[in-house]
Amino acid sequence: MPAPAAHHQLVQLSDTHILSPGRLLDGRVDTAAALRAAVQHIKALTPVPAGVLLTGDLVDAGSPASYAHLRQLLEPLTLPVWLMVGNHDHREALQAAFPEHRYLIDPQARRFIQYTVNLPNMRLVALDTVVPGAGHGALCAQRLDWLEHTLAEEPDKTTLLAMHHPPFRTHIGHMDAMGLLEGRDEFIRIVSRHHQIERIICGHIHRSVQCRLAHTVAMTVPSTAHQIALEVGESRGSYTLEPPAMGLHVWRAGPDLVTHLLPIGDYPGPFAFD
Ligand SMILES: [Fe+2]
Ligand SMILES: [Fe+2]
């Protein structure tokens, strides 16, 4: 009898918002300690994940010192790591800080940081939604063309599509005001034509949110550090220190993909059932 297919896992961290060493976000949140805890948690996961994807807002203000700090904090990870940009990032500073991450400079992607990764029985497509200097996201014709072309290359390979700004409204007023404001309708038309997209995985919202989008499911994961307070409707925006979490995407063949949300930190247990 053939051995059962192995399980594969991809860890998704988001919105790490690293500052230069010794600084706290808003004078209160130790984003570096939060990422250290996430890294330790990942190192204990079994089976060993195929890699770790960070879905943007890697640092808080795009400075070279903060990217150097991020690099140092990620160093204990012996797994492949893939980095994406969010609205707090600076493309060139990121590329300069991680020169061996060759995928960050892809001539096909022009000036954007978007790329593909071949995982076991799964293709990862990372899409750049950033507008330099702005909080909201956009998909211009160039990026949408790249997406259409990239998806058309591998129509039969189960695909995880990753982007910082989610392509849906969350009903949290101030976050929707800085959501994906341009190119969304065309993006949905493209997704509708590519049934190999099993999940659209995003950050930016600092909360866990899921939404149907065409034939697939789009979702965001919490931040490793601070969370956006859940204020439905009009909101001015505030944050909380609710538990941080990571996304754990798990599959064997590909279309059997499921996503677990795994709180980061020490909690009592596990306790065996009698
Ligand atoms: Fe963020
Ligand atoms: Fe963001």
Side-chain angles (χ1 to χ4, degrees):
M1 223 166 83
H7 287 95
H8 307 290
Q9 310 195 85
L10 175 71
V11 175
Q12 181 187 359
L13 301 183
S14 205
D15 295 272
T16 44
H17 285 264
I18 298 303
L19 298 115
S20 48
R23 288 192 54 212
L24 301 179
L25 189 140
D26 199 28
R28 183 182 289 119
V29 187
D30 191 341
T31 58
L35 179 52
R36 253 182 236 113
V39 164
Q40 288 313 309
H41 204 131
I42 292 167
K43 286 173 77 72
L45 291 174
T46 55
V48 174
V52 181
L53 174 72
L54 282 82
T55 43
D57 286 357
L58 305 169
V59 301
D60 196 54
S63 71
S66 56
Y67 284 114
H69 194 198
L70 173 68
R71 199 187 156 89
Q72 188 193 337
L73 291 163
L74 292 174
E75 234 145 44
L77 282 177
T78 50
L79 304 170
V81 171
W82 297 287
L83 304 170
M84 293 178 63
V85 279
N87 49 296
H88 284 258
D89 288 299
H90 186 284
R91 294 189 186 111
E92 290 76 21
L94 169 64
Q95 288 162 336
F98 291 86
E100 76 283 20
H101 287 228
R102 304 291 286 270
Y103 63 86
L104 291 173
I105 302 176
D106 176 357
Q108 299 292 327
R110 310 269 181 90
R111 65 183 188 279
F112 304 111
I113 296 184
Q114 38 193 25
Y115 52 88
T116 65
V117 178
N118 281 320
L119 300 167
N121 298 336
M122 183 69 67
R123 187 178 192 222
L124 172 66
V125 175
L127 183 61
D128 182 331
T129 55
V130 170
V131 179
H136 73 275
L139 288 170
C140 55
Q142 245 179 34
R143 284 179 269 194
L144 290 166
D145 283 353
W146 178 89
L147 178 65
E148 173 78 67
H149 175 81
T150 300
L151 291 169
E153 285 173 348
E154 298 259 18
D156 300 322
K157 186 133 191 208
T158 310
T159 297
L160 269 170
L161 175 55
M163 53 205 286
H164 180 68
H165 294 82
F168 58 85
R169 294 185 188 93
T170 62
H171 301 294
I172 302 173
H174 72 283
M175 292 309 289
D176 289 343
M178 56 184 281
L180 184 69
L181 300 188
E182 292 168 40
R184 184 170 162 270
D185 291 348
E186 182 55 24
F187 171 82
I188 293 172
R189 276 193 285 275
I190 292 172
V191 169
S192 305
R193 292 196 286 271
H194 294 280
H195 284 245
Q196 77 270 31
I197 299 171
E198 191 61 37
R199 189 84 82 255
I200 301 174
I201 59 175
C202 314
H204 189 56
I205 305 300
H206 293 231
R207 302 200 64 79
S208 168
V209 191
Q210 299 85 37
C211 182
R212 189 182 74 180
L213 193 129
H215 63 275
T216 189
V217 174
M219 53 164 290
T220 64
V221 299
S223 164
T224 52
H226 54 301
Q227 315 306 331
I228 298 293
L230 180 53
E231 300 173 85
V232 172
E234 288 298 307
S235 61
R236 290 185 53 217
S238 53
Y239 67 89
T240 78
L241 297 178
E242 290 172 10
M246 67 179 90
L248 197 58
H249 307 288
V250 185
W251 70 94
R252 283 178 160 174
D256 55 353
L257 176 112
V258 299
T259 300
H260 295 270
L261 203 63
L262 187 58
I264 300 165
D266 290 326
Y267 301 93
F271 306 107
F273 291 109
D274 286 336

